[in-house]
Amino acid sequence: MGDSVIRHIALLGFEKRFVPSQHYVYMFLVKWQDLSEKVVYRRFTEIYEFHKMLKEMFPIEAGEINPEDRIIPRLPAPRWFDGQRAAESRQGTLTEYCSALMGLPAKISRCPHLLDFFKVRPDDPTDSQVKKPETYLMPKDGKSNVADITGPIILQTYRAIADYEKTSGSEMAVATGDVVDVVEKSESGWWFCQMKAKRGWVPASFLEPLDSPDEAEDPEPNYAGEAYVTIKAYTAVEEDEVSLAQGETIEVIHKLLDGWWVIRKEDVTGYFPSMYLQKSGQDVAQAQRQIKGRGAPPRRSTIRNANSIHQRSRKRLSQDTYRRNSVRFLQQRRRLQRPEPQTAEGPRKEKSPTQSAKPQPAVPPRPSADLILHRCSESTKRKLASAV
């Protein structure tokens, strides 16, 4: 059957090329039905022109007639200036786009327009170029590795839900609706973002993902707790927060991305700024130097006029749930730590099944016939008399 059907399309990465001028191309591994595998190179402008033609060929599936009938995936238009940052940030979008193409009906996923676009071209780059391209490969598992120093940085896109005015030179101001690329997510709740030519730290509580309101936080609270030490005192402002002095030892039971962690101090639970916490046994002086330039980020619940594009907000556990489950965990831990009572003869020995079994009650004797006739009803007596 030859190259008649594509089984899978995978994005390998992108290359920076210098002939005839500086530009970027994406590398795709195309697996065909005859088990052959080909690597093809395409510019993003070419991919976008292919996408537009596909929509013209299938207007119903593109949602041109009825938007509810759209099944062809969306693809953002190319920018005027496509630098390395744009090439890096598009990789996730292209990966999802190719996966969605392969899931379309056969009349689209096997149409000549799609098959011809992903075939190897005679003008694909060769090794005869004067300056070698710079290649940036996608990690196989999607996770960063220390060895992948030259690998790409896939930036996540977020949107500001409210206006934020910066309070220091290292922060970045955002307005409601601004779209930013997140470069680094710190556990403190401050995220380093970039927007066009601006860069700086923005509170995570002011940002939300474009595609989903849910965040990749700790899936479940760890009620066993991690031991931390407070490196700065904090006085609670909200009802569900905890006031602590410097140097207190607490247990962290839930780490949240906005920098406000749920902690437990004896039987009390509540929110506390993660910036003011340091793992027990680590250098406290170094952590204290890092918090001098910036304080704790604001909480999502304190933001006024928050404008979310999602129908539902981020789901959070209530403090009642944290307290209830923490009390149960502490009670269970106390029962396990309670020493077993001992007698004068030594520790109590487990009884065998025969020793621990309770004696069964004796079977009562059968009553006599006269007693049965004396206690039975008149109906039973007549039946017995007729039988005799």
Side-chain angles (χ1 to χ4, degrees):
M1 187 175 291
D3 295 350
S4 59
V5 177
I6 297 177
R7 295 186 296 111
H8 182 68
I9 303 174
L11 177 66
L12 300 179
F14 68 96
E15 287 187 352
K16 182 178 181 181
R17 301 193 175 277
F18 305 92
V19 178
S21 61
Q22 179 176 309
H23 63 281
Y24 294 88
V25 294
Y26 291 93
M27 301 178 294
F28 296 93
L29 176 64
V30 184
K31 299 181 180 181
W32 298 87
Q33 194 177 32
D34 63 348
L35 302 182
S36 63
E37 298 181 358
K38 308 291 183 181
V39 177
V40 299
Y41 301 81
R42 299 291 181 268
R43 291 192 185 191
F44 186 76
T45 52
E46 295 177 315
I47 301 172
Y48 188 72
E49 291 299 322
F50 155 80
H51 172 70
K52 288 172 55 179
M53 181 62 67
L54 192 68
K55 290 171 58 181
E56 294 177 4
M57 295 174 59
F58 303 95
I60 298 178
E61 290 78 6
E64 301 293 340
I65 301 175
N66 186 357
E68 295 180 357
D69 296 333
R70 176 161 190 166
I71 59 175
I72 294 178
R74 301 182 185 275
L75 191 67
R79 305 171 186 173
W80 283 104
F81 176 74
D82 284 339
Q84 180 174 332
R85 182 174 65 85
E88 292 171 347
S89 61
R90 281 201 196 101
Q91 292 184 110
T93 302
L94 289 176
T95 299
E96 296 176 358
Y97 180 78
C98 294
S99 176
L101 283 181
M102 293 294 95
L104 295 176
K107 67 176 183 178
I108 304 178
S109 62
R110 300 185 183 184
C111 70
H113 175 61
L114 189 148
L115 299 178
D116 292 340
F117 180 77
F118 286 100
K119 286 183 180 180
V120 177
R121 297 174 179 174
D123 59 347
D124 275 336
T126 61
D127 294 336
S128 60
Q129 296 173 342
V130 177
K131 189 172 182 180
K132 298 296 182 183
E134 298 175 2
T135 304
Y136 301 83
L137 297 178
M138 289 273 289
K140 292 182 178 180
D141 56 354
K143 300 178 180 179
S144 60
N145 194 328
V146 178
D148 300 329
I149 300 177
T150 60
I153 303 174
I154 304 175
L155 303 181
Q156 293 178 293
T157 305
Y158 282 73
R159 175 188 173 277
I161 63 171
D163 297 341
Y164 177 73
E165 297 293 336
K166 66 178 184 178
T167 58
S168 67
S170 61
E171 299 177 12
M172 183 177 72
V174 293
T176 305
D178 283 349
V179 177
V180 301
D181 293 327
V182 178
V183 179
E184 177 186 347
K185 293 181 179 181
S186 173
E187 285 189 340
S188 64
W190 290 98
W191 291 0
F192 192 80
C193 305
Q194 60 185 17
M195 181 177 58
K196 297 180 180 179
K198 298 193 302 181
R199 291 187 176 187
W201 295 95
V202 179
S205 53
F206 279 76
L207 303 175
E208 68 177 1
L210 288 177
D211 54 349
S212 171
D214 297 326
E215 277 291 350
E217 296 175 338
D218 287 355
E220 295 293 337
N222 177 22
Y223 289 107
E226 291 184 69
Y228 277 76
V229 177
T230 57
I231 59 176
K232 185 177 180 179
Y234 175 76
T235 303
V237 178
E238 302 294 330
E239 185 180 356
D240 55 358
E241 297 174 358
V242 180
S243 299
L244 293 174
Q246 182 178 337
E248 293 194 50
T249 301
I250 54 91
E251 294 176 325
V252 175
I253 61 177
H254 204 179
K255 298 179 180 179
L256 304 175
L257 283 180
D258 63 358
W260 287 84
W261 292 357
V262 182
I263 61 101
R264 180 174 61 214
K265 176 68 174 180
E266 297 176 352
D267 292 339
V268 179
T269 63
Y271 290 105
F272 194 85
S274 62
M275 287 191 68
Y276 303 157
L277 296 174
Q278 178 74 5
K279 262 197 173 182
S280 181
Q282 295 185 357
D283 185 13
V284 177
Q286 181 180 358
Q288 288 177 336
R289 288 193 296 268
Q290 293 177 353
I291 64 175
K292 287 183 179 180
R294 195 181 306 113
R299 291 182 57 189
R300 174 69 68 93
S301 59
T302 63
I303 301 175
R304 295 183 178 180
N305 302 323
N307 184 16
S308 174
I309 62 176
H310 301 291
Q311 295 181 354
R312 67 182 191 278
S313 60
R314 184 188 306 176
K315 294 181 179 179
R316 287 284 181 90
L317 295 178
S318 65
Q319 275 301 313
D320 290 337
T321 304
Y322 285 123
R323 293 191 185 99
R324 182 170 61 252
N325 292 338
S326 292
V327 168
R328 292 177 181 175
F329 175 82
L330 292 174
Q331 290 175 348
Q332 182 181 7
R333 186 169 64 180
R334 293 191 189 105
R335 285 196 298 267
L336 294 175
Q337 294 176 350
R338 187 178 301 168
E340 189 176 359
Q342 297 182 358
T343 60
E345 300 176 355
R348 183 182 299 175
K349 297 181 180 180
E350 294 185 359
K351 296 182 180 180
S352 61
T354 56
Q355 293 176 341
S356 60
K358 295 182 180 179
Q360 297 294 328
V363 179
R366 179 179 177 84
S368 62
D370 295 337
L371 183 60
I372 294 174
L373 289 173
H374 178 71
R375 293 183 177 179
C376 69
S377 62
E378 294 297 329
S379 176
T380 304
K381 291 180 180 180
R382 286 195 296 269
K383 291 180 180 180
L384 290 174
S386 61
V388 174

